Amino acid sequence: MAENPEDTLSWHQLAEVEITLNRRDEAWRISSDLLKKDAKDWQALTLLGHLDLEEGKAAQAEQELDRAKTANPDSPMIYFQLARVYLVQGKPDSAKSALGQSLKRAPNYVAARILLAGLELRAGQMDRAVQDLNKALKQAPSAMEPNLMLSQAYAMRGEFNLAEDTLNRLLNQPATPQARQ
């Protein structure tokens, strides 16, 4: 691995590609090598946290993500990943707090908004869930998950016409990669 920052960025991107291609061992190796160069490489720590969480190692993922947060407290992605860890650990309040921090840094972070809305739905906070899902849908109007969740929230509030309208809007949209999310 080269020392120049552009090369480091390329290695981060390669590790993310390896995760996408389901070659986790290679992503793990690249991230570990990056950390040997710089123990405070927040991107490599975040990737390792993601990999650990997928392998069921929530405590280890939390440690790596806490280190990443210390190195870069402004990254919304770190707080999002921490929220996922907290959910696995059965800590929904901690997850909500982490998602709040993520959205404070990036208000249009759709994945964080959807995850928060899901927690709100489970907690019976329908008004908040509807508000967050509508915000997510402003960014990704044809995404399936927030549309389905919004329809569910409307139905749980007894607003069956809105629930049906939401589903009909989703069904009448052309199929796009974003709609298949």
Side-chain angles (χ1 to χ4, degrees), residues 78-95:
I78 295 168
Y79 293 94
F80 175 75
Q81 292 296 340
L82 275 168
R84 293 179 62 231
V85 168
Y86 296 144
L87 287 175
V88 168
Q89 294 173 332
K91 302 175 185 175
D93 291 338
S94 296

Side-chain angles (χ1 to χ4, degrees), residues 3-31:
E3 295 297 321
N4 119 27
E6 289 174 6
D7 289 342
T8 300
L9 175 62
S10 295
W11 284 107
H12 288 133
Q13 291 169 337
L14 180 59
E16 290 176 16
V17 167
E18 296 295 350
I19 289 172
T20 302
L21 296 174
N22 207 25
R23 297 194 297 231
R24 287 164 179 28
D25 290 343
E26 190 61 18
W28 184 273
R29 184 193 63 74
I30 292 167
S31 297

Side-chain angles (χ1 to χ4, degrees), residues 95-106:
K96 279 186 180 180
S97 177
L99 290 167
Q101 290 298 315
S102 180
L103 291 166
K104 178 180 173 184
R105 288 156 176 78

Side-chain angles (χ1 to χ4, degrees), residues 47-149:
L47 287 169
L48 287 177
H50 173 83
L51 290 167
D52 282 338
L53 184 60
E54 286 187 353
E55 291 181 11
K57 301 174 186 173
Q60 189 171 334
E62 183 178 9
Q63 289 175 353
E64 286 160 349
L65 291 165
D66 280 338
R67 286 177 51 205
K69 182 174 67 171
T70 299
N72 183 5
D74 295 326
S75 171
M77 178 178 31
I78 295 168
Y79 293 94
F80 175 75
Q81 292 296 340
L82 275 168
R84 293 179 62 231
V85 168
Y86 296 144
L87 287 175
V88 168
Q89 294 173 332
K91 302 175 185 175
D93 291 338
S94 296
K96 279 186 180 180
S97 177
L99 290 167
Q101 290 298 315
S102 180
L103 291 166
K104 178 180 173 184
R105 288 156 176 78
N108 294 331
Y109 195 165
V110 174
R113 184 89 44 206
I114 292 169
L115 190 56
L116 179 60
L119 288 169
E120 292 163 346
L121 277 174
R122 282 183 235 135
Q125 300 169 329
M126 297 309 130
D127 292 341
R128 283 185 174 178
V130 166
Q131 183 181 15
D132 280 321
L133 290 165
N134 279 317
K135 286 180 182 178
L137 288 167
K138 284 182 183 175
Q139 299 301 311
S142 61
M144 186 173 296
E145 185 175 12
N147 274 292
L148 293 173
M149 290 170 67

